[in-house]
Amino acid sequence: MLRLNDVRTIAVIGAGVMGSGIAQTFAQAGYAVRLQARRDETLRAALERIGRNQEAMARAGLLDREAARKALLRIRTTTDVSEAVRDCQFVSESVPEELALKREIFAIMDRSAPKDALLTTNTSGLSVSAIAAATTRPEAVVGFHWMNPPHLMPPVEVIRGQQTADAAIELTCKIAGRIGRVPIRVEKDVPGFLWNRLQLALVREALHVLEEGIAGPEAIDQAITHGLGLRWAAVGPIRTMDLGGLATFHAIAEYLYRDLSAAEAPQGLLANKVAAGETGHRAGRGFYDYRDGSGEAAIAARDARLFELLKLQRLPAFCQQDSPHS
Ligand SMILES: NC(=O)c1ccc[n+]([C@@H]2O[C@H](COP(=O)([O-])OP(=O)(O)OC[C@H]3O[C@@H](n4cnc5c(N)ncnc54)[C@H](O)[C@@H]3O)[C@@H](O)[C@H]2O)c1
C-alpha cells in the first residue's frame, strides 16, 4: 500500500462545482493535479472559477496571491479520463450523481490508473460499495465526500465501503490532513453518510416547525446562526450532552421525541414549493423572496461570514503561507 509521501499526483475527474474546488484545494496543498472534464469549455470555465475563488480567498486574507498563482500552474487539464489517471496515485471523482455513470467512470479509472492507486468518489449518497463493485480493486475504493464549497469547507467524510481496506481509509485520512481538511470517518456505507443524516434530521424538524406555525423562517435561521450553530462550532452535540448532563437530555428526549417530525417523505411545504417552481434564490423565490435581486447579496453575506469563521478556526490550509510541497 502507498504511503503518504508516495502520493504526488492527484486526478480530479469531473470539473463542475465540486471538481474545480477540489482541484484547487489539492493544488494549493502542493500536489500536481490532472483535472478532467468531457469538454474543453468546461475545463476553461473550471480554471476561471478557481481563479475567482482564489481571488476571493486572497481578498479575505485566507490565501497568499503568489501561492495561488503557483497552485494554478500545478493543474493540468485533459478531456480524457484514462489520461488523467494514468500517472496518479490518488483519484477524486466528481461526475454527476448517477450510479451507472459513476460505475462506468470507475471501470475506466480501474483499467487506466496504476494498480496501487486509490480511487475515491465524492458521491453525496450513492452506495460506495456499488461503485467499488465496478472495479477489480474494491479494497482501494473509498468514499471521499466533500462539502460545498469544497475550497472552503474543512470537513471531508471518509466512508468505508463493504470491502474498503483499513490501509485505504488510513491513507485517505492522512491525505485529507495534508490538504488541510478534517477527515470525518464514517464506518458504514449508509444513505446520507453522516453529514447529510444530521443536516436532514434538522431540516425535517425545521420544516415541521414552519408547517405547524411554531416559528417563521427568520426565527428558525436565527436560532441556528446565533444559537445552535455558534455552540456547535465550539462543541458538537455529543459532548454538549456530556457537558449539560445526560439526565437532562434523557428527560427532554422522553417527552419531546414523540412531538418531533417522523415524516417519511418530504413534507408538503417543501414539495409544493418545488412543484410551484419556487426553488430558491435562482428562481427569485424560495422560503424567502429574492425578486429584488437580493440572492447575490445573501450569498456574499454568507461567504463573508464563512471567511471570518474560517480565520477563527486557524486551520493551516487557510493561513497566508506557501504550500508544504512547493
Ligand atoms: N454540489 C454539491 O453541493 C455537492 C456536494 C457534495 C458532493 N456532491 C457530489 O459531487 C458530484 C458532482 O457534483 P457537482 O455539483 O460538481 O456537479 P456538476 O454538474 O457541477 O459537475 C459535474 C461534472 O461532471 C461532468 N460530466 C457531466 N456528465 C458527464 C458524463 N456523462 N461523463 C463524464 N463527466 C460528466 C461535467 O462536465 C462536470 O464537469 C456528484 O456526485 C454530487 O452528488 C455535490
Side-chain angles (χ1 to χ4, degrees), residues 13-19 36-39 42 93-98 101-102 105 121-125 145-148:
I13 306 301
V17 173
M18 298 305 290
Q36 182 274 346
R38 284 174 308 169
R39 288 176 302 163
T42 309
E93 165 275 319
S94 275
V95 300
E97 188 78 343
E98 292 162 35
L101 173 63
K102 292 210 190 263
I105 298 280
T121 173
N122 185 28
T123 176
S124 299
H145 181 218
W146 297 64
M147 311 306 154
N148 191 15

Side-chain angles (χ1 to χ4, degrees), residues 180-200:
R181 292 300 180 272
V182 179
I184 309 288
R185 288 169 187 254
V186 183
E187 299 297 345
K188 284 190 180 169
D189 184 12
V190 292
F193 309 135
L194 176 58
W195 161 289
N196 269 328
R197 291 180 88 89
L198 297 175
Q199 175 166 250
L200 270 288

Side-chain angles (χ1 to χ4, degrees), residues 153-237:
M153 293 301 289
V156 183
E157 291 181 322
V158 177
I159 303 125
R160 184 187 290 278
Q162 275 163 19
Q163 296 188 60
T164 310
D166 289 346
I169 296 286
E170 293 310 320
L171 181 58
T172 305
C173 288
K174 283 185 188 153
I175 288 174
R178 174 65 68 87
I179 59 175
R181 292 300 180 272
V182 179
I184 309 288
R185 288 169 187 254
V186 183
E187 299 297 345
K188 284 190 180 169
D189 184 12
V190 292
F193 309 135
L194 176 58
W195 161 289
N196 269 328
R197 291 180 88 89
L198 297 175
Q199 175 166 250
L200 270 288
L202 189 58
V203 162
R204 178 166 67 178
E205 190 53 32
L207 289 167
H208 182 210
V209 163
L210 268 180
E211 275 194 330
E212 294 294 313
I214 299 165
E218 283 99 352
I220 294 169
D221 282 348
Q222 284 171 342
I224 301 298
T225 55
H226 294 290
L228 284 172
L230 193 62
R231 174 189 281 169
W232 286 343
V235 276

Side-chain angles (χ1 to χ4, degrees), residues 234-256:
V235 276
I238 303 296
R239 196 177 292 280
T240 292
M241 286 194 285
D242 271 358
L243 301 184
L246 298 188
T248 304
F249 278 89
H250 181 266
I252 299 172
E254 233 174 8
Y255 68 75
L256 193 54

